[in-house]
Amino acid sequence: MDFSAANTALWNIVIQLGMIAGAILLANFLRQKLAFIRNSLMPTAVIAGFIMLILKHLHVLPVDNNFLEILVYHCIALGFIAMSLRVSRKSKDGKGDLTGLKSGAIIVGGYLVQGAAGLIITLALAYTFMPDMFKAAGLLLPMGYGQGPGQANNVGMTYEALGFTGGRSFGLALAAAGYIVACIVGVIMLNVLRKRGAVRAGHGETAEKPDLSFFQDEDEIPVSESLDKLSVQLAMVLLVYLATYLATWGLTSGISALSEGLANTLNTLLWGFNFIIGSALAILVRVLLDKAKEAGLVRRQYQNNYLLNRLSGFFFDIMIVAGIASIDLQDLTGLWVPFILLAVAGGFVTWYWLKIACKHVYRGYYYEGLISMFGMQTGTIGSGILLLREIDPDFSTPAANNLVVGSTFAIVLGAPVLVLVGLASRSPAMCFLTLGLAVAYWAILALVIFKAGRKKKD
């Protein structure tokens, strides 16, 4: 085997990952040294992604878009698997607390509001000024804003295969716009709320050492013995991902054997959203380990939430950098009008939906809940946490926990949204049907948010 630089297949992965690592470290350095970047609250991974994007288009870096697309695809699934393997903690507020469920309904309700607004815009453009517009393109708004670069990449590629030229770059550009809205608009709203006296000034990035007392539970495996604890966490994540591949392959093979027409509709969707299958399998593994421990078949707890959080954060950071860096701005030619309309509308509808929903659910910490949810619903959970730390630096409110618990519920509640995304792409008539179904499902979630547990609370 040739181990020299001439073997590009051997060294390309090292070159691409090295560039990503360099961009992350450079972004972190700039964020620490330049106050205006630090005050923007833009996540380091987002800054790194834009650095690579700019240098790529200046032909300074030999960025391999195909490799970055592969990286985005795998990292989103690995990140969700790591999150889903975490040991669940019982709420201290009592068994009747529905805040987690309602947080999930708020998140998915946000997807539906964004999707409905997006569909209305692209349908209006398609039937007036832009007859060649891909009518289902508006559904890339909740994928980019609500779910981030990973889903924007996956759905964009699916739509591109169905005739939406530049669909992938359009989705990733919306995801990048979402980060900008999360950081810039989020910071502006923080300053407005501070001037009104609605929130107290926080300390931003506190210098205090974090409390690591949660790192090791009493019945966990040791930090390091013959096999390091981090190795155990990574092995579980990779094993679940292998099972995800086998399960998806089995499902798609079975569907293909039953009906080629059905396979053409579902198989691409199943492979594109394999993270849902991965999350479900990870939850199943977690439940089985809990039951085995209760039955005495397993003596120790193998999962460590702290390390699984670090792994999911690592995979999501890589996903964000690779997703933004792989955007091809040339593919947006002719799509700037719908892009700008969707980007602006996405910020408005998300803010006003959250103002209404969060006021009802997060009583006693409304602004913390609103700001953190807005950061997550336009960017990622990381941008939600960053905004929250400005007004709740010690996480003294449940707002940060609601993001995590709500995201878990949103995985289940959000499954119909993915069905709608696939349905809308089939024909113009399906777009209108999707719009109606989205409104109907939003109404059901609104009932959960505003009516569930009302008597008990009031």
Side-chain angles (χ1 to χ4, degrees):
M1 181 177 180
D2 181 11
F3 295 105
S4 71
N7 189 345
T8 55
L10 174 65
W11 288 105
N12 185 55
I13 184 173
V14 177
I15 294 169
Q16 300 302 316
L17 290 176
M19 288 190 298
I20 290 174
I24 289 174
L25 292 176
L26 175 59
N28 187 62
F29 174 80
L30 293 174
R31 197 173 189 277
Q32 296 297 322
K33 297 298 181 182
L34 301 179
F36 75 93
I37 294 179
R38 185 167 60 252
N39 293 336
S40 74
L41 301 183
M42 187 173 290
T44 301
V46 177
I47 300 170
F50 281 120
I51 289 173
M52 284 192 68
L53 179 63
I54 293 168
L55 293 178
K56 179 184 78 171
H57 282 280
L58 292 176
H59 304 290
V60 174
L61 293 180
V63 174
D64 183 346
N65 270 17
N66 289 331
F67 176 80
L68 295 186
E69 289 173 24
I70 292 170
L71 209 56
V72 171
Y73 176 76
H74 288 309
C75 280
I76 187 172
L78 290 167
F80 273 103
I81 288 170
M83 285 183 64
S84 300
L85 279 171
R86 294 175 307 179
V87 178
S88 57
R89 305 298 183 192
K90 291 181 180 179
S91 172
K92 296 179 180 179
D93 299 326
K95 294 180 180 178
D97 186 12
L98 297 176
T99 303
L101 173 62
K102 290 189 175 188
S103 295
I106 288 174
I107 293 169
V108 178
Y111 299 161
L112 294 166
V113 169
Q114 291 168 347
L119 266 181
I120 289 170
I121 289 171
T122 51
L123 284 170
L125 289 173
Y127 286 106
T128 53
F129 307 106
M130 300 179 67
D132 294 330
M133 183 74 204
F134 189 76
K135 296 175 179 62
L139 289 176
L140 286 171
L141 178 59
M143 297 297 104
Y145 271 44
Q147 299 203 2
Q151 282 305 95
N153 177 79
N154 292 346
V155 177
M157 283 196 300
T158 301
Y159 281 4
E160 203 165 273
L162 294 171
F164 182 18
T165 303
R168 179 183 167 277
S169 290
F170 187 76
L172 285 171
L174 281 173
Y179 288 123
I180 294 172
V181 169
C183 298
I184 295 178
V185 176
V187 171
I188 290 172
M189 296 312 299
L190 277 175
N191 290 325
V192 170
L193 292 173
R194 280 176 179 171
K195 287 180 180 179
R196 292 179 180 175
V199 296
R200 66 181 179 88
H203 305 290
E205 296 183 7
T206 59
E208 296 178 10
K209 292 182 180 179
D211 177 17
L212 298 180
S213 60
F214 55 84
F215 180 81
Q216 176 82 13
D217 284 347
E218 290 181 6
D219 55 351
E220 273 192 38
I221 57 174
V223 174
S224 181
E225 47 178 19
S226 60
L227 185 61
D228 190 86
K229 181 181 282 191
L230 178 60
S231 301
V232 174
Q233 312 308 307
L234 187 57
M236 286 192 293
V237 171
L238 293 175
L239 187 60
V240 171
Y241 197 35
L242 174 60
T244 301
Y245 165 77
L246 294 173
T248 310
W249 174 74
L251 280 171
T252 52
S253 298
I255 293 171
S256 297
L258 287 173
S259 168
E260 280 298 325
L262 190 62
N264 292 335
T265 302
L266 292 180
N267 285 4
T268 302
L269 202 62
L270 286 171
W271 284 112
F273 301 125
N274 71 329
F275 81 98
I276 292 288
I277 299 173
S279 296
L281 289 176
I283 292 170
L284 177 61
V285 169
R286 187 187 72 202
V287 171
L288 290 176
L289 286 172
D290 288 344
K291 296 297 182 184
K293 189 179 173 187
E294 290 175 6
L297 299 175
V298 175
R299 293 189 300 110
R300 298 285 187 91
Q301 175 182 304
Y302 283 86
Q303 307 105 296
N304 178 271
N305 285 2
Y306 178 80
L307 292 176
L308 287 170
N309 282 336
R310 301 287 67 75
L311 282 175
S312 64
F314 168 76
F315 289 128
F316 287 146
D317 282 341
I318 297 297
M319 177 200 74
I320 291 166
V321 178
I324 295 174
S326 62
I327 295 173
D328 191 344
L329 296 177
Q330 292 180 350
D331 285 348
L332 292 180
T333 303
L335 295 172
W336 287 105
V337 171
F339 169 73
I340 292 171
L341 289 174
L342 288 173
V344 173
F348 272 107
V349 298
T350 303
W351 177 260
Y352 284 105
W353 158 246
L354 292 175
K355 275 189 71 175
I356 296 169
C358 292
K359 196 163 191 175
H360 182 85
V361 177
Y362 305 132
R363 297 175 182 177
Y365 56 101
Y366 162 58
Y367 292 111
E368 289 84 356
L370 171 63
I371 289 295
S372 58
M373 275 289 177
F374 180 75
M376 186 175 75
Q377 286 269 269
T378 51
T380 64
I381 193 170
S383 50
I385 291 292
L386 283 171
L387 290 174
L388 176 63
R389 291 187 70 177
E390 290 298 305
I391 55 176
D392 185 12
D394 301 318
F395 300 130
S396 56
T397 70
N401 187 60
N402 289 340
L403 297 183
V404 178
V405 178
S407 295
T408 303
F409 279 99
I411 291 174
V412 178
L413 295 175
V417 176
L418 300 180
V419 175
L420 295 179
V421 167
L423 181 67
S425 63
R426 297 176 65 180
S427 69
M430 290 296 103
C431 285
F432 288 101
L433 175 62
T434 298
L435 183 59
L437 291 174
V439 172
Y441 189 37
W442 172 85
I444 294 171
L445 293 176
L447 286 175
V448 172
I449 294 167
F450 298 109
K451 299 294 183 182
R454 185 175 178 181
K455 290 182 180 178
K456 195 168 187 177
K457 277 194 171 185
D458 296 342

